């Protein structure tokens, strides 16, 4: 372990960065493709496994570089197929990760930062404050852990993770370069080869970063709106005070225009009882959503201690959804399986870290998870 930190972790280099790496070593660029495939398609963790690379080059690589993956602290597989992990990163910080199967899809929710600086009022990650950005290798490491949980990598087998969403801890657009490189690897045919429609960056609305993304990526986008007007959004999502709704939606449209296919934005809307879940909010939201091609994903608030918010009743959720559907807005409700799965934002880590009785209860729930309440939509 002594010299490890000074070595380059090749897991974190985008395809073009890896080409540059070999260039600078005086090696041919096609080596980058070979190494990419070994690492990301065959799951190699050492250069010794790379049999189409000469022994001399493997030795040289081992001197300069390594392939380092984060360590699994906790791994839970529940009966309905949901998998969850707590993963320790370099320096000891932990992040959470969830894989949710749904028919022939399996969606992995990854983190981009430890903590978050944006302090949305209903988010437990925000409450923890900002610790640090994750490196590209740490983000890609999350995907590797999830794929490997199904057994050794098999490049010819079925895809084990079909979708990735950046909806774990952190604001991905505030860790721009590392998230960009990670998404490039996820979508590269020599690496994970996921469809650009199935890799989704979720943002609370960092408008300048969204504009920067236009020129360099065609990843899919989810935007966390949570309120139909600026007065309310200012309170829930403080970054709205800098980039209000109209500016955010204009940036969304610029992003969609920059893509060379027809796509829409996923609008996320966390429903909180008595705060943003009333029929008048729904009606106001309809008007706002007319301004951008989008689908709406309603997320019933996921409670955590001292949050000050509550999840709305099923009746209120259904009524809100119906108003949207009546206005022809494609709307889904994100369902948790039991109450534990939607550890979307720092909750799993919080519970493990504080080792309270609640965390014991949590672990029990994961193991005994009931098969009811599974449907993704209402
Ligand atoms: N920072 C990014 C991505 C991570 S948060 C963003 O804000 O979009 C992923 C999603 O989970 C966001 O829509 C966020 O608002 C939502 N979320 C956060 N805390 C939640 C909670 N307690 N209950 C339900 N959804 C929550
Ligand atoms: Fe950060 Fe997203 Fe949580 Fe807001 S909702 S504090 S942007 S992680």
């Amino acid at each position: 372990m002594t010299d490890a930190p000074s070595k380059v972790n090749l897991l974190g280099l985008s395809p073009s960065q890896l080409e540059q790496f070999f260039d600078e070593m005086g090696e041919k660029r096609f080596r980058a493709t070979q190494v990419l495939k070994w690492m990301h398609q065959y799951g190699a963790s050492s250069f010794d496994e790379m049999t189409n690379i000469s022994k001399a080059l493997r030795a040289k690589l081992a001197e300069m570089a390594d392939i380092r993956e984060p360590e699994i602290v906790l791994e839970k597989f529940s009966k309905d197929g949901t998998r969850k992990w707590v993963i320790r990163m370099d320096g000891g910080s932990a992040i959470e990760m969830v894989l949710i199967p749904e028919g022939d899809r399996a969606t992995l929710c990854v983190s981009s930062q430890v903590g978050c600086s944006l302090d949305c009022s209903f988010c437990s990650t925000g409450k923890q404050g900002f610790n640090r950005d994750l490196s590209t290798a740490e983000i890609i490491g999350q995907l590797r852990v999830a794929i490997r949980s199904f057994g050794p990598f098999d490049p010819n087998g079925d895809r084990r993770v079909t979708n990735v969403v950046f909806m774990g801890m952190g604001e991905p657009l505030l860790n721009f370069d590392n998230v960009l490189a990670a998404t490039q690897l996820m979508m590269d045919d020599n690496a994970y080869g996921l469809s650009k429609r199935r890799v989704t960056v979720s943002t609370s609305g960092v408008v300048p970063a969204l504009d920067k993304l236009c020129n360099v990526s065609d990843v899919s986008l989810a935007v966390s709106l949570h309120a139909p007007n600026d007065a309310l959004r200012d309170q829930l999502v403080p970054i709205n005070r800098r980039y209000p709704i109209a500016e955010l939606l204009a940036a969304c449209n610029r992003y969609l225009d920059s893509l060379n296919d027809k796509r829409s934005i996923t609008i996320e809307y966390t429903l909180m009882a008595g705060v943003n879940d009333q029929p008048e909010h729904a009606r106001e939201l309809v008007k706002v959503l007319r301004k951008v091609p989008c689908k709406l994903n309603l997320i019933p608030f996921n409670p955590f201690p001292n949050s000050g918010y509550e999840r709305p009743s099923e009746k209120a959720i259904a009524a809100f959804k119906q108003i949207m559907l009546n206005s022809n807005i494609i709307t889904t409700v994100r369902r948790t399986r039991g109450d534990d799965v939607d550890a979307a934002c720092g909750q799993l880590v919080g519970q493990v870290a504080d080792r309270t009785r609640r965390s014991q209860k949590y672990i029990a729930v994961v193991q005994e998870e009931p098969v009811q309440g599974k449907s993704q939509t209402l």
Side-chain angles (χ1 to χ4, degrees):
M1 276 306 286
T2 43
D3 57 349
S6 61
K7 294 186 178 182
V8 192
N9 188 355
L10 295 192
L11 266 193
L13 300 191
S14 70
S16 55
Q17 287 167 333
L18 199 58
E19 279 189 352
Q20 199 184 332
F21 172 84
F22 280 103
D23 237 10
E24 284 166 9
M25 273 177 89
E27 294 290 337
K28 294 271 187 310
R29 287 183 154 215
F30 74 86
R31 296 287 178 209
T33 309
Q34 290 179 318
V35 171
L36 269 184
K37 287 187 174 172
W38 278 114
M39 290 192 299
H40 303 296
Q41 296 187 347
Y42 292 85
S45 299
S46 78
F47 300 110
D48 285 344
E49 297 167 56
M50 305 183 179
T51 45
N52 56 357
I53 293 176
S54 72
K55 274 200 171 151
L57 179 53
R58 280 189 254 159
K60 201 166 147 195
L61 281 171
E63 263 170 39
M64 305 172 61
D66 59 7
I67 303 172
R68 272 198 316 282
E69 208 171 272
E71 178 198 344
I72 302 172
V73 181
L74 191 82
E75 186 168 50
K76 293 286 166 200
F77 296 174
S78 58
K79 286 184 192 137
D80 67 5
T82 304
R83 298 185 173 198
K84 302 171 215 200
W85 297 265
V86 174
I87 295 175
R88 200 186 335 267
M89 301 298 180
D90 283 349
S93 329
I95 59 103
E96 68 184 53
M97 184 169 85
V98 193
L99 178 79
I100 302 171
E102 230 189 299
D104 56 0
R105 291 194 306 186
T107 301
L108 181 68
C109 175
V110 297
S111 295
S112 56
Q113 299 180 313
V114 183
C116 182
S117 61
L118 294 183
D119 201 21
C120 299
S121 64
F122 54 90
C123 171
S124 63
T125 301
K127 297 268 167 283
Q128 293 168 33
F130 175 70
N131 184 321
R132 70 172 176 88
D133 285 335
L134 293 182
S135 66
T136 304
E138 288 171 328
I139 299 169
I140 285 297
Q142 296 172 60
L143 179 52
R144 275 175 53 117
V145 164
I147 293 173
R148 191 167 306 101
S149 73
F150 292 89
F153 273 50
D154 176 7
N156 303 314
D158 285 343
R159 250 184 240 295
R160 295 150 177 188
V161 177
T162 57
N163 296 52
V164 175
V165 293
F166 282 76
M167 293 183 189
M169 293 175 101
E171 168 50 51
L173 292 189
L174 289 182
N175 182 13
F176 194 92
D177 293 342
N178 295 346
V179 166
L180 179 67
T183 57
Q184 284 167 346
L185 283 167
M186 289 168 185
M187 300 188 292
D188 193 294
D189 284 338
N190 292 318
Y192 298 94
L194 296 177
S195 149
K196 58 193 176 187
R197 291 173 174 268
R198 292 177 163 219
V199 179
T200 303
V201 168
S202 173
T203 179
S204 57
V206 190
V207 166
L210 247 175
D211 280 330
K212 207 166 129 193
L213 197 67
C214 282
N215 306 314
V216 292
S217 179
D218 59 357
V219 73
S220 293
L221 203 63
V223 167
S224 295
L225 197 65
H226 311 311
N229 60 61
D230 285 324
L232 183 54
R233 194 164 191 265
D234 279 352
Q235 292 171 35
L236 302 177
V237 185
I239 198 175
N240 193 67
R241 296 172 205 158
R242 280 176 67 190
Y243 309 113
I245 294 173
E247 281 183 35
L248 174 56
L249 297 181
C252 290
N253 277 315
R254 288 194 291 276
Y255 186 73
L256 289 178
D257 288 345
S258 77
L259 302 177
N260 57 14
D261 60 348
K262 202 165 140 33
R263 249 184 284 172
S264 58
I265 304 247
T266 302
I267 298 287
E268 293 163 275
Y269 192 101
T270 296
L271 285 167
M272 289 162 263
V275 175
N276 63 355
D277 67 335
Q278 299 299 300
E280 61 264 28
H281 295 121
R283 285 191 288 270
E284 203 179 355
L285 185 61
V286 167
K287 289 192 196 133
V288 172
L289 296 189
R290 295 258 182 263
K291 296 179 184 150
V292 65
C294 65
K295 291 182 224 135
L296 178 64
N297 190 210
L298 298 171
I299 316 171
F301 175 68
N302 203 355
F304 58 92
N306 306 319
S307 70
Y309 295 102
E310 280 170 28
R311 179 188 297 225
S313 66
E314 287 304 314
K315 211 173 139 202
I317 296 170
F320 198 99
K321 183 184 179 192
Q322 197 54 51
I323 294 174
M324 308 313 296
L325 291 177
N326 290 347
S327 304
N328 296 321
I329 292 174
I330 299 170
T331 305
T332 51
V333 178
R334 193 187 298 169
R335 284 287 147 203
T336 58
R337 296 163 195 209
D339 251 352
D340 57 310
V341 165
D342 207 1
C345 241
Q347 294 169 43
L348 180 54
V349 168
Q351 289 169 22
V352 170
D354 66 25
R355 296 262 169 237
T356 58
R357 287 189 56 197
R358 215 182 121 83
S359 82
Q360 299 304 320
K361 191 173 140 214
Y362 172 79
I363 289 165
V365 170
V366 176
Q367 285 163 347
E368 300 295 325
E369 197 163 279
V371 191
Q372 39 139 27
K374 281 180 34 167
S375 73
Q376 229 10 52
T377 47
L378 266 185

